[in-house]
Amino acid sequence: KRDEAGSRGRLRWLAAALAVLVALAAAGYFLLAHESVVRVAQVTALAPSALSSPAAVLQASGYVTAEREATVSAEIAGLLTHVLIQEGEYVHRGQVLAKLDDSAQRAALAQAQAQLQVAQALLAQYHAQLVQARLDLGRDQALIGQHLVSEQAFEQARTQAAVLAAQVRSQRREVQVERAAVRAAQVQESYTVVRAPFSGVVVDKAAQMGEMISPIFGGGGFTRTGIATIVDMSSLEVDVDVNEAYIDRVHAGQPAVAVLDAYPSWKIPAHVIAIVPTADKSKATVRVRVALESKDRRILPEMGVRVSFLQRAPKRSATALPAGMVWVPASAVVRRGGRSVVFAIHDSRVRQRAVTTGPARAGLRAVSGVAAGTSIVRSPPGRLQDGEHVAIESE
């Protein structure tokens, strides 16, 4: 009997322990079953400027061109004795690019200078003779009253002085002519030195030392008409052909974005310079000049480029918000505890944020208390609590 009573006691204890375990399991199940996982839609708080971001209204293709580009040549025909540049070299305005054989020009200059010296010597001679003639005339004029000089001699002295004065005047003009001849010879000699008309990069070297160069094409195959081509890289712009059916979407000063074919991920700010007032009837296009607002050594002439012409959305007074305010959907702002709040999402949990509300427009509400880019719940359910797990629904 004692063993039977002990067995019954053990069974009772075992049953009681089992009942406790079942109760604990049921309580845990009840708690887990009632831990809410709320399905919500996620949105992002927008900065005020996002509502007026530019949109592309038209795209067109074109090429990079240089507004200042020149093929440099000599002003006279001659033999190249020096070519002092290479392709890809940056040159400054006035820098010597090449030299021509100047032996004929130097000889002409020396001759002009010698003729000037002869003219100046003759002028000095005539001037000295005029001074002496005027002294003789003064003495004869003093003696004629005393009848010591005949009237004929006095008249001859006066005539001689007048002739010498005329010779001096004529020789002065001759000196001016010879000086002009010297200047002309100096200009001709300067033409044998070819200088850069502006600062830029040499993109083509067309002539070599020992070749004949001429500013005018003579029809032969042995005379160059250009020495080098220089491009002012600061004057690079884009020329695009816009279909004439869409030209009304483009206007001067319009913002744009240019993307080079060589660098498709690089967006270059740009704007329209002008619409060239003529159309190409063969292509039914109108040429548009576009300025690049960012200068970079990667931009090269003749590169292919695609231009997106932008049109900024109309500005509204509601977009002018005080500092610190952002736009959120109006449905994201709810009342909790007598104040306006939004629920920010972080690591699949929501955090309640108190906000100050501002103006509303088109389903949006301006608030302060959250930063632009914060993920928030679009329409918080009434039972959503701070710190609760949420499941994000795809929009």
Side-chain angles (χ1 to χ4, degrees), residues 11-339:
L11 287 173
R12 283 196 298 269
W13 279 105
L14 204 63
L18 185 59
V20 170
L21 288 174
V22 171
L24 289 174
Y29 175 79
F30 179 82
L31 291 174
L32 289 174
H34 285 75
E35 184 182 24
S36 60
V37 178
V38 182
R39 301 184 68 82
V40 298
Q42 178 182 356
V43 293
T44 303
L46 299 176
S49 61
L51 296 182
S52 59
S53 58
V57 295
L58 182 66
Q59 289 187 334
S61 298
Y63 295 91
V64 177
T65 61
E67 195 271 332
R68 295 186 69 189
E69 178 178 352
T71 298
V72 184
S73 180
E75 297 189 56
I76 58 173
L79 179 69
L80 278 173
T81 58
H82 298 83
V83 179
L84 307 175
I85 52 171
Q86 296 295 333
E87 289 181 341
E89 181 180 349
Y90 183 86
V91 295
H92 298 276
R93 179 181 180 183
Q95 180 176 333
V96 177
L97 306 181
K99 293 182 179 180
L100 277 63
D101 179 21
D102 61 352
S103 56
Q105 286 74 22
R106 285 190 290 108
L109 176 60
Q111 181 180 4
Q113 289 173 334
Q115 290 175 343
L116 174 60
Q117 292 173 353
V118 170
Q120 289 173 332
L122 283 174
L123 175 61
Q125 177 182 340
Y126 292 152
H127 189 268
Q129 291 175 350
L130 175 60
V131 171
Q132 183 61 47
R134 285 176 175 173
L135 290 174
D136 293 343
L137 178 60
R139 284 194 297 268
D140 289 348
Q141 191 172 8
L143 295 174
I144 195 172
Q146 302 175 13
H147 302 285
L148 298 176
V149 175
S150 66
E151 289 285 345
Q152 182 180 3
F154 174 74
E155 290 297 334
Q156 289 177 347
R158 186 163 59 181
T159 301
Q160 180 68 17
V163 170
L164 289 172
Q167 287 180 330
V168 167
R169 289 193 297 271
S170 176
Q171 194 60 33
R172 281 176 179 166
R173 293 188 180 92
E174 184 65 25
V175 168
Q176 292 176 351
V177 171
E178 297 300 336
R179 282 176 177 165
V182 169
R183 287 194 295 270
Q186 290 172 338
V187 170
Q188 287 294 316
E189 186 185 35
S190 70
Y191 289 162
T192 63
V193 179
V194 182
R195 300 181 182 272
F198 52 81
S199 298
V201 176
V202 179
V203 297
D204 180 46
K205 178 182 175 184
Q208 301 292 338
M209 183 177 66
E211 291 186 315
M212 287 296 297
I213 193 78
S214 173
I216 302 174
F217 181 68
F222 302 100
T223 302
R224 299 282 186 180
T225 56
I227 296 173
T229 300
I230 300 176
V231 171
D232 181 1
M233 292 300 184
S234 65
S235 70
L236 292 181
E237 59 184 42
V238 175
D239 275 359
V240 295
D241 290 330
V242 177
N243 191 298
E244 62 184 22
Y246 305 113
I247 195 62
D248 60 336
R249 302 184 186 181
V250 181
H251 56 83
Q254 182 176 2
V257 173
V259 177
L260 298 172
D261 293 346
Y263 305 98
S265 61
W266 180 27
K267 295 183 178 180
I268 307 172
H271 66 270
V272 177
I273 299 174
I275 300 172
V276 179
T278 184
D280 187 335
K281 64 180 181 181
S282 63
K283 298 187 294 182
T285 58
V286 178
R287 189 164 66 93
V288 177
R289 295 175 56 206
V290 178
L292 299 172
E293 297 178 1
S294 175
K295 304 300 182 183
D296 193 282
R297 64 180 58 188
R298 291 175 290 178
I299 305 174
L300 302 176
E302 306 304 324
M303 273 187 166
V305 61
R306 188 163 188 84
V307 177
S308 298
F309 297 95
L310 308 179
Q311 183 172 12
R312 189 172 296 275
K315 294 184 178 180
R316 304 185 185 181
S317 58
T319 60
L321 297 179
M325 279 199 159
V326 295
W327 291 105
V328 299
S331 60
V333 183
V334 295
R335 301 289 293 181
R336 293 287 192 275
R339 58 182 182 172

Side-chain angles (χ1 to χ4, degrees), residues 334-375:
V334 295
R335 301 289 293 181
R336 293 287 192 275
R339 58 182 182 172
S340 298
V341 300
V342 297
F343 286 90
I345 302 173
H346 181 68
D347 293 337
S348 297
R349 288 183 180 272
V350 293
R351 300 298 179 191
Q352 183 174 298
R353 302 273 184 87
V355 296
T356 301
T357 59
R361 57 155 290 192
L364 300 177
R365 170 72 70 176
V367 299
S368 62
V370 292
T374 303
S375 296

